[in-house]
Amino acid sequence: MDEMFRLDGKTVAVVGAASGIGRAVAAGCASQGAQVACLDVDARGAEAAAAQIGQQGGLATSTGLDIRDGKAV
């Protein structure tokens, strides 16, 4: 099944990556080879998610983002 869902060479933006389902999605995408942008209104949580991905050998960046702010998006 892993071979059917590879994301090598792809960049994935995950909104809500600081916790819960969003964090799991970010980690899952990284485990399949994607570079992940961890985005969340909780900037520290997004940073922690990116750090965790990095500790597991993945590539991730993070930034705080409130998607309710149209100018920020």
Side-chain angles (χ1 to χ4, degrees), residues 1-10 12 25-36 58:
M1 180 81 132
D2 282 347
E3 293 303 315
M4 294 176 61
F5 186 66
R6 293 299 306 170
L7 295 171
D8 301 295
K10 305 285 186 190
V12 176
V25 168
C29 289
S31 74
Q32 295 303 318
Q35 180 171 340
V36 180

Side-chain angles (χ1 to χ4, degrees), residues 11-28:
T11 300
V12 176
V14 180
V15 177
S19 64
I21 293 170
R23 191 167 188 154
V25 168

Side-chain angles (χ1 to χ4, degrees), residues 13 24 59:
L59 296 173

Side-chain angles (χ1 to χ4, degrees), residues 25-62:
V25 168
C29 289
S31 74
Q32 295 303 318
Q35 180 171 340
V36 180
C38 297
L39 310 171
D40 202 289
V41 69
D42 174 5
R44 286 186 180 174
E47 185 177 338
Q52 181 181 14
I53 288 168
Q55 290 169 354
Q56 295 172 348
L59 296 173
T61 60
S62 67

